[in-house]
Amino acid sequence: MSITMDTTLASLVTNKRRVSALKSLGIVTVGDALTYYPFRVTEPVPLRAIREAAPGQQMAFAAVIRDMRVVPMNARRGYRLEATVDDADFARSRRVPGSTARLTFFSYRKSYVDWVSMRLRAGTSVVVSGMPSEYMGQLQFTHPEILTVAPGSAGAGAGLEGYARGAASGNGAFAGSTDPYASVQSAYPPAAAAPSGAALKYDADTVQEALTRVCRPRPVYHASSRISSEHIHETILGLLWMMGARTSSTPDGQLAGAGAAGIVAPTTDTIAVQNGEEKSGTTAESGAEALSQSIPDVLPESVRKAKNLMHRAEAFLAIHDPASTARFKEAIETLRYEEAFVSQTSLLKARSHAHKSAAHSCPLVTDSLRDQFIASLPFSLTAGQQQVIHDIAADLAHDWPMQRLLQGEVGSGKTVVALAAMLQAVDAGYQAVLVAPTQVLAEQHAETIGRMVEQLKPAIPVTLLTGGMKLAARRKALAAASSGEPGIIVATHAAFSKTFQAPHLALVVIDEQHRFGVEQRESLNAKTDDGTTPHLLVMTATPIPRTAAMTWFGDLDISWLTELPGGRKPIRTVVVNEADAATMGRMFAHIRARVDAGERAYIVCPRIDADDEENEGGSGVSAAAGSARGRAAASGSSARTAAGGRATRAAADAIGIDDPYETFDENGETVARPPLHAVAEIADRLQKLPQFQGIRFATLTGRDKDDVKTQVMADFAGGETPILVSTTVIEVGVDVKQASCIVIFDADRYGLSQLHQLRGRVGRGGTNSWAFLISRAEPGSPAEQRLEVIHHSLDGAEIAQADLEFRGAGDVLGDAQSGGKSSLKLLRVVKDADMIADARTRAEQLLAADPELAGEVQLAGAVLDFTRGNETFLTSS
């Protein structure tokens, strides 16, 4: 069968448990597997004779089994298998005397012991890789990696001088092109024939091949309790073999020929279909050609040659089966540049397409509604607001659609700017839609806008449309929108439904861009009857560094609001160690004093209740960026369990924490951490404290129905329940002027930008305000260092920059292996700014010569995939 990047693993891998385990990591197709990149590669294993062994230092050598015995462990149950190996020939090649060592294996399973016994019969040539130790005066290797070598084709060590020289200069890869063992037979007799009826399979045809395989660098993948890094690697190598790869990638850029280590053919009990029956029946050259046919290059040939990059197929091979660490890094750079080029081509095409579309021109008129509105404000606009309003007015006057991203700190006055733009569209006789991510925020916007425009002449209708409205009210709102009457519509996701029609729609304002997918955003283009495309204004309070904005919003003009309106006081941020009971007590007493003064307090927890334990598992959860990240991270978002596996996006959203900073052990598994605090748990504990006697608490989570959320927020704002314990559902847009304190539990597990967003929920009424970050981070740990950034800075752009830098070499969406749909897994928007700029320049040149990419079919497909896949915003935390 023909295997492509879209072929499902379920049709190829016979082990259904492995298929399920891979699916939990987001690996469903061959393409998913090949782009599940290792997070590191091991250093090459040095060749050493047994006499050169140093306890505790990894080594590899060739030897022959001298004897083997199985010893029952009566006292402890189970078995101990011991095999004595002799490296006389291998040691001679290194000009040291030969010696012996013991290989030791322990197991409770007789079947495992029998299997090892069959492989390690006396006279068998083997290659051993492991960590030596000393036991009862003899050198011992406990559970080393063993590769058996087919008898008759190679000796156990003679002729190794050439290999030793090659190893010294090339990370263990044989320097020559011929087999150094071809004319040498083992000093020991060949292994006895396999027992009748047993088909004994050898791991390698030659000792040289086996040595190359155990010595070369090995990729290490983020694993889980369900599947190890080794099994992930084994599966990916099997897929590469099936697609045509027969030999490993070598430093000269070609697939290796004779004398190089080959990729082992997968066994039929692992892989269901094999591309060719005989491993020896395919030459290296035809294998390379077959692999490149299965994995066509995405980058234009001219760009690849100009940048001296690998072919895409070659890069995948060098990443998953690297001949050297340098080769691995070169392949990573190739695919990183590919991501930069595809993303920039996609953004440039989107920008070009937008300028070719028609839009309603909305020029300013004399005595405009916009000017009336600005004159009616009880405060003066900042210089930044005035400039952005002017820029947007010029954009709206064009007959092609505006596409502008408005960034502004929490409280910088983005809503005023958006309302000015919407009034300009209404003045021109058209409709404007403001889309908010939550019903609570939509209701707040509708109330605020209605109050701001009530004095304007002529009267401006403001229509609220949410999914939680009663049927009669919803029908009335839909009818008002479909009438085409000029006015302002404030909506939630209901604006993306098929029942919503706005035939004279000229402007769409999207609040908090990262909450909506590209496809949702574009669906609003179909709401007009005359085929025009609405002007688009995207707003976000999540600061985006300029390099990140260039990466993800290269199709938009970008404006920044950096000044805060007068009257806003800086928020005092305090980091509190949860174990410091005295400080915790003083904090709660302070909150009680502020509540007694008529103010409000938020208490934020990452989990809803203790029942989320099975999702959260006590080790932290990654709902990475916008999230991955929910991935995971999620559409780019994922949740990680304590076992290191991934949960669903629903689980991540239920927990609500953006934790892109998980730590991993050397095997790629997540390091266990304390369980996250839950809303129900904290609300119960706080109500029992003496500081809060007589105070009513309320709780709010994403599971609550919309009408419940509305009532809870009304009671909180009105003071009936002055303390609100919630998840991060309050993160975006909730505006309660009296709120002066926010306490964030497990702050060390959040993204910095998410903490900055949450902190912005207080101090909105001009009062003194405090943010308490409750942490269980170890002293001097990276988590503690991150909290110091948020402690000392109120600059959102600076915090966002630090956030991305802390995330480091991983996926810009948080975790490189989120399992989400993001097309970007390697590109780093901070460190790769120069690469992104170079890719953008070359993409501009390509599109100038071939605007529709008619001559670059693979690139056109990758651009389409990128547009569909990146539906969540980069730094949604």
Side-chain angles (χ1 to χ4, degrees):
M1 71 182 278
S2 176
I3 301 173
T4 68
M5 298 286 278
D6 295 323
T7 303
T8 62
L9 294 190
S11 65
L12 302 176
V13 179
T14 54
N15 187 328
K16 299 310 176 187
R17 292 182 65 183
R18 183 173 297 190
V19 171
S20 176
L22 290 168
K23 186 176 180 179
S24 72
L25 298 177
I27 304 174
V28 178
T29 66
V30 172
D32 294 334
L34 296 185
T35 56
Y36 191 82
Y37 302 117
F39 68 94
R40 70 179 178 92
V41 288
T42 62
E43 290 299 317
V45 178
L47 290 175
R48 290 183 184 144
I50 292 175
R51 283 189 180 274
E52 299 172 305
Q57 295 183 16
Q58 192 83 8
M59 61 176 282
F61 61 95
V64 173
I65 303 294
R66 175 180 288 177
D67 59 56
M68 184 271 298
R69 65 175 184 151
V70 176
V71 182
M73 297 187 295
N74 296 325
R76 296 169 52 192
R77 294 176 43 246
Y79 304 87
R80 181 178 77 252
L81 184 149
E82 295 179 349
T84 303
V85 292
D86 186 326
D87 73 338
D89 289 345
F90 178 78
R92 189 180 307 118
S93 72
R94 297 186 61 82
R95 296 175 174 80
V96 296
S99 187
T100 61
R102 182 167 53 217
L103 312 181
T104 305
F105 301 85
F106 299 92
S107 180
Y108 289 108
R109 291 188 299 144
K110 185 67 164 58
S111 58
Y112 172 77
V113 172
D114 290 343
W115 176 74
V116 175
S117 300
M118 185 174 66
R119 300 180 74 223
L120 303 186
R121 288 167 294 118
T124 302
S125 295
V126 294
V127 165
V128 181
S129 174
M131 192 89 71
S133 60
E134 190 172 323
Y135 179 70
M136 297 183 68
Q138 185 174 5
L139 201 67
Q140 174 175 278
F141 292 82
T142 304
H143 285 273
E145 179 181 2
I146 301 288
L147 294 185
T148 58
V149 181
S153 60
L160 268 163
E161 291 84 353
Y163 190 92
R165 289 193 300 272
S169 61
N171 288 324
F174 179 59
S177 60
T178 59
D179 188 346
Y181 303 102
S183 60
V184 182
Q185 293 299 319
S186 171
Y188 291 87
S196 177
L200 187 59
K201 295 182 180 178
Y202 293 93
D203 300 316
D205 291 333
T206 66
V207 175
Q208 173 245 322
E209 175 190 332
L211 282 169
T212 301
R213 279 170 50 193
V214 300
C215 289
R216 66 191 299 114
R218 302 225 185 148
V220 183
Y221 303 82
H222 286 315
S224 76
S225 61
R226 299 180 62 187
I227 185 168
S228 66
S229 174
E230 290 78 10
H231 283 158
I232 294 171
H233 188 213
E234 175 188 284
T235 302
I236 293 174
L237 288 184
L239 295 173
L240 286 169
W241 191 92
M242 293 168 64
M243 297 175 84
R246 294 297 183 269
T247 51
S248 304
S249 175
T250 58
D252 64 1
Q254 304 297 322
L255 289 175
I263 294 179
V264 178
T267 60
T268 53
D269 55 353
T270 301
I271 299 292
V273 182
Q274 295 188 11
N275 187 9
E277 293 298 322
E278 297 295 332
K279 182 171 71 168
S280 59
T282 307
T283 66
E285 290 73 16
S286 65
E289 183 179 344
L291 190 61
S292 63
Q293 289 174 356
S294 300
I295 309 175
D297 214 348
V298 168
L299 288 175
E301 185 73 9
S302 58
V303 173
R304 187 167 69 84
K305 288 185 175 179
K307 297 293 294 181
N308 193 29
L309 301 173
M310 298 179 181
H311 187 283
R312 191 174 200 227
E314 187 183 358
F316 280 135
L317 195 56
I319 286 173
H320 295 296
D321 192 36
S324 66
T325 53
R327 187 71 172 155
F328 174 84
K329 292 175 182 176
E330 185 182 347
I332 288 290
E333 285 301 295
T334 291
L335 294 180
R336 185 171 284 150
Y337 190 88
E338 178 188 289
E339 290 184 355
F341 194 86
V342 170
S343 66
Q344 293 307 304
T345 303
S346 175
L347 294 170
L348 289 169
K349 275 184 66 66
R351 190 182 187 93
S352 172
H353 178 74
H355 283 188
K356 293 177 183 177
S357 303
H360 292 299
S361 175
C362 303
L364 274 174
V365 297
T366 305
D367 191 28
S368 66
L369 289 170
R370 190 202 75 169
D371 293 341
Q372 288 183 49
F373 162 65
I374 293 174
S376 70
L377 291 172
F379 52 83
S380 298
L381 296 178
T382 66
Q385 286 174 311
Q386 294 176 26
Q387 181 61 51
V388 174
I389 288 174
H390 174 76
D391 292 342
I392 290 174
D395 288 346
L396 291 176
H398 294 145
D399 59 1
W400 65 82
M402 169 183 74
Q403 289 192 294
R404 184 171 290 276
L405 171 67
L406 174 59
Q407 289 195 83
E409 288 284 356
V410 172
S412 61
K414 296 186 299 298
T415 304
V416 169
V417 172
L419 182 51
M422 289 189 287
L423 289 173
Q424 184 172 337
V426 172
D427 228 357
Y430 299 109
Q431 296 169 294
V433 172
L434 170 61
V435 186
T438 66
Q439 176 165 327
V440 170
L441 185 54
E443 290 171 348
Q444 287 187 358
H445 276 317
E447 181 183 351
T448 302
I449 291 171
R451 197 167 55 244
M452 285 180 162
V453 303
E454 62 184 359
Q455 302 299 326
L456 301 183
K457 302 297 182 182
I460 308 299
V462 178
T463 304
L464 175 65
L465 175 64
T466 70
M469 297 173 72
K470 292 184 178 180
L471 184 59
R474 180 179 172 82
R475 284 177 174 171
K476 184 177 179 181
L478 289 171
S482 62
S483 71
E485 178 187 2
I488 294 172
I489 302 162
V490 181
T492 57
H493 289 73
F496 304 118
S497 69
K498 293 181 180 179
T499 57
F500 174 73
Q501 295 298 325
H504 294 159
L505 183 60
L507 172 64
V508 174
V509 180
I510 294 185
D511 193 11
E512 294 305 331
Q513 143 72 21
H514 62 276
R515 303 283 167 162
F516 302 103
V518 173
E519 292 178 358
Q520 287 179 316
R521 198 176 77 184
E522 292 182 347
S523 73
L524 290 170
N525 294 345
K527 302 300 182 183
T528 58
D529 287 346
D530 51 15
T532 58
T533 299
H535 298 283
L536 176 66
L537 176 63
V538 170
M539 301 193 301
T540 179
T542 303
I544 316 165
R546 289 176 184 267
T547 50
M550 179 174 67
T551 304
W552 278 81
F553 294 103
D555 58 331
L556 305 180
D557 297 308
I558 303 177
S559 298
W560 275 267
L561 287 178
T562 56
E563 305 167 73
L564 292 180
R568 289 296 297 270
K569 296 180 180 179
I571 302 168
R572 303 174 196 179
T573 304
V574 183
V575 178
V576 181
N577 188 322
E578 189 174 345
D580 185 350
T583 303
M584 292 284 287
R586 289 196 301 272
M587 176 189 73
F588 290 135
H590 171 80
I591 293 172
R592 174 60 187 261
R594 302 320 307 165
V595 169
D596 288 344
E599 296 169 10
R600 315 282 186 270
Y602 296 106
I603 311 289
V604 178
C605 304
R607 286 194 315 179
I608 295 176
D609 54 43
D611 292 339
D612 293 325
E613 188 76 33
E614 63 183 23
N615 291 331
E616 193 276 327
S619 74
V621 175
S622 169
S627 282
R629 13 265 321 191
R631 39 194 255 286
S635 351
S637 192
S638 78
R640 246 191 215 93
T641 64
R646 307 299 196 276
T648 61
R649 169 156 189 185
D653 289 345
I655 296 163
I657 188 171
D658 169 16
D659 179 10
Y661 306 111
E662 286 184 286
T663 54
F664 300 91
D665 62 21
E666 62 181 10
N667 295 319
E669 296 201 25
T670 51
V671 175
R673 293 183 290 182
L676 296 169
H677 289 300
V679 168
E681 164 214 349
I682 291 298
D684 182 61
R685 284 171 51 186
L686 295 187
Q687 290 180 83
K688 295 176 181 177
L689 293 178
Q691 293 95 326
F692 295 122
Q693 289 301 309
I695 297 294
R696 290 187 61 195
F697 282 68
T699 61
L700 182 68
T701 74
R703 289 181 188 165
D704 294 328
K705 295 181 179 179
D706 287 336
D707 58 342
V708 173
K709 291 179 183 176
T710 301
Q711 186 61 51
V712 167
M713 289 307 302
D715 291 345
F716 177 64
E720 292 184 37
T721 52
I723 297 180
L724 178 63
V725 185
S726 77
T727 60
T728 54
V729 69
I730 63 146
E731 174 186 353
V732 176
V734 172
D735 189 2
V736 177
K737 304 295 185 187
Q738 302 90 337
S740 64
C741 295
I742 184 168
V743 178
I744 305 171
F745 280 90
D746 296 305
D748 52 303
R749 309 275 282 274
Y750 287 82
L752 292 184
S753 294
Q754 191 175 26
L755 287 174
H756 184 61
Q757 276 277 73
L758 289 166
R759 179 170 62 179
R761 296 306 102 205
V762 298
R764 303 172 74 85
T767 60
N768 290 323
S769 55
W770 294 263
F772 299 98
L773 310 181
I774 312 302
S775 168
R776 289 183 282 185
E778 295 291 331
S781 66
E784 185 181 63
Q785 295 169 22
R786 291 196 304 271
L787 290 181
E788 283 303 301
V789 173
I790 201 93
H791 179 205
H792 294 293
S793 177
L794 292 171
D795 185 335
E798 177 184 330
I799 290 167
Q801 184 83 8
D803 208 1
L804 287 171
E805 289 172 354
F806 271 120
R807 297 182 190 205
D811 179 12
V812 293
L813 291 174
D815 170 27
Q817 306 307 336
S818 66
K821 295 182 178 179
S822 169
S823 300
L824 294 185
K825 295 190 175 183
L826 297 172
L827 195 63
R828 304 163 302 186
V829 295
V830 175
K831 296 182 179 180
D832 298 328
D834 292 341
M835 178 185 289
I836 292 168
D838 179 88
R840 190 175 185 86
T841 300
R842 294 180 188 275
E844 286 173 342
Q845 296 170 353
L846 176 67
L847 289 172
D850 186 3
E852 299 303 319
L853 299 178
E856 300 292 343
V857 177
Q858 295 300 327
L859 176 61
V863 165
L864 183 61
D865 289 342
F866 177 87
T867 303
R868 289 173 174 170
N870 291 281
E871 298 179 4
T872 47
F873 168 49
L874 167 64
T875 49
S876 66
S877 59

